[in-house]
Amino acid sequence: MPDGAAPILEVRDLAAVYRTRDAVVHAVNGVSFTLGRGEVLGLVGESGAGKSAAMLALLGLLPARSASVVGGQVLFDGDDLLRATPERLRRLRGSEFGYVFQDPATSLNPVLSIGHQLAEPLRVHRGLSRRAARAGAAELLALVGIPDPKRRLEQYPHQFSGGQRQRVMIAMALACKPRVLIADEPTTALDVTVQAQILELLRDLRRQLGMAVIWITHDLGVIAGIADRVIVMYAGRIVEQAPVRALFADPRHPYTRALLAALPRPDGPREARLRAIPGQPPRLETLTGDCPFRPRCARAFDRCAGPRPELRPVGPEHRAACHLVPDPAETAHA
Amino acid sequence: MTEPLPAIPPRRRGGRGAVAARFAAHRGAVAGLLVLAAIVALTLFGPLLHRIDPQYLDYLDRNQGMSWKHPLGTDNLGRDLLAQVLSGGRVSLAVGTSAMLLGLALGTLVGVLAGFVRWLDGPLMRLVDLFLALPLLPLLLVVIMLFRDSLRAAFGPETGIFLLIVFVIGVTSWMQTARIVRGEVLALREQEYVLAARAIGTRPRRIVTRHILPNVLSPIVVSAALGVANAILLESALSFLGLGFPSDFPTWGRLLFDGVNFMSLHPTRVIWPGLAISLTVLSVNYIGDGLRDAMDPRGDLPPIAGGARRNRRGRLGVLLATRRNGRRVLQGKGE
Ligand SMILES: Nc1ncnc2c1ncn2[C@@H]1O[C@H](COP(=O)(O)OP(=O)(O)OP(=O)(O)O)[C@@H](O)[C@H]1O
Ligand code: SF4
Ligand SMILES: [Mg+2]
């Protein structure tokens, strides 16, 4: 770390697979990054890049029947979460780690009241009584800006709008003031005004609680507004990581460039997002040894047929995995 | 096909009151509850009003039709059929309910364990297969032969045989429930809200009791309705084979089978006990239906095609399935 502060979370070579009936899907293939205290780290990449899989893997939340972590380390407070007992992981989840899921429509149990679900983390981790947890739940609802919290606590998820459910999910994740919040596309299902409100809310909370945030999104516009640093994932790997300004000012990986080129201009149509890159991401069942972006890369050259490029430094805290970036080992030789 | 939609009740607050209110809004369920309550009340208090001893043999009044003295007529030994149906109902209902509860508890436990604990899944499902493959009636015969006398000695003839019958029926009728529950649990545990519960550190046991079981309730309720009916029928089959309750201790099934030989001459002898069984099963099914809808808080909204109500299986279908199962059991007797 540049300022000498120890990171709160350090992920090394994380790898995870999904097993389907007849294939192994290599969803996460050696992801390494650090997360500083109070830092907001943006995680972007196309659908299927392995963003959710990586985050689920690091908290042991992958479905046990169909997926497994196949390697790596996740260092938090000096221990490796991948080797922690289920009980220790359970204690960390919800208290030190908050997780906001991608889909607010299905992340709340339809048959339990909102109050019950919001009180759950308080009861589990704080051991609060039913009554105290309920009071806490009301405060949380107020915190995420839902009016008339006492009455709303009695209601069920179907009586909340999509945006309100998303806020409830955020409130649940924040209930125990976690040190790390993982937010998996917390705003995609929302309309623009609600998105802006939630972004504002999280900015506030981050200031107040000093928590670190990993923010997964498709929307580079959101990243520009909130993140300190950005990780770009492609086919289960990090292809570029950089401070947010450097990434927007000087993207080095052709994939990142394509993403940025696909960004809507203020005067352009709003809907042009990541989908605008031609071609398909590679099949994760059968990954080859060369650069995974090669079939879609406009700047591919002869070396790209060779072994896959590793992440190489291109600037302060800025690294990219592309043969266009000079290999420091080779330049040292020359 | 489509029934007229019930009037949309106003939105209500959550909690137990809301469940009761939604149940009350379900006309079929309320009717079922009333009928079942009437049946239970009749079997409990009827004998106090209709004071003929069901075992009294009135040779002069054999094979009577309906009359003031014998509202449902008499059998070939001159016993009063109404008195027999009333007292038989107590035993049948008690056996049906207890055996159903036992089977349901076993089935739910096995189903949840198999669905939730990965390494138990294989062994438990093989156990289910094993129980399903067992020839039921011969097994029951052996078990009853082996234990009847010792249980009789220990608890007295009636309690002993009651415990034995409830036990054998319960222990041989949990497999379907276990399969259904396991399937639901497997589907539910992949639900995002179960993942979300894990992500806030909820204990596994609490996930089962708070997130899985309430959502498995509707199939469990349906199995319960089927279970009562099957237990009543199975008990009948056993009684018929002379392995159930003693012959001077009537149950609905026993009456039905005693009446079968006289069916062409005196059809009422099978109609009344049969009607009692059918009404009970039907009302239990309606109640189950209402409970299932009432426990789903989305019931506040107007019914949506499919969706929350996809489980609604025609009551007639349930009943027919029950009959089919019953017949299968009964046909086993001839072999
Ligand atoms: N249950 C599963 N079984 C098999 N493969 C899966 C499963 N879940 C995800 N995958 C595969 O794993 C890869 C990574 O999925 P992941 O959900 O992490 O993508 P993502 O980057 O979060 O995408 P999105 O932006 O759409 O959420 C995808 O190729 C996906 O097809
Ligand atoms: S390594 Fe080659 S193919 Fe891959 S992104 Fe860089 S230029 Fe394109
Ligand atoms: Mg995702």
Side-chain angles (χ1 to χ4, degrees), chain A residues 39-106:
Chain A
E39 180 181 41
V40 176
L41 182 62
L43 184 51
V44 296
E46 272 167 311
S47 190
K51 308 181 294 293
S52 302
M55 293 303 116
L56 291 172
L58 71 85
L59 287 184
L61 287 171
L62 285 173
R65 276 168 197 262
S66 57
S68 48
V69 174
V70 291
Q73 286 179 305
V74 175
L75 302 176
F76 175 78
D77 265 357
D79 16 274
D80 182 357
L81 297 186
L82 298 182
R83 280 152 197 89
T85 63
E87 179 59 16
R88 165 140 173 83
L89 262 184
R90 188 187 66 69
R91 281 173 196 281
L92 291 176
R93 294 198 287 251
S95 61
E96 301 284 11
F97 289 89
Y99 203 120
V100 181
F101 285 90
Q102 203 161 351
D103 185 358
T106 56

Side-chain angles (χ1 to χ4, degrees), chain A residues 293-334:
Chain A
F293 190 57
R294 190 161 74 103
R296 299 165 80 185
C297 183
R299 308 183 53 184
F301 59 112
D302 50 0
R303 281 186 68 174
C304 303
R308 175 168 41 77
E310 296 299 327
L311 276 173
R312 296 164 185 165
V314 291
E317 285 193 77
H318 187 168
R319 298 192 290 162
C322 172
H323 286 302
L324 290 171
V325 174
D327 188 340
E330 284 180 22
T331 33
H333 271 289

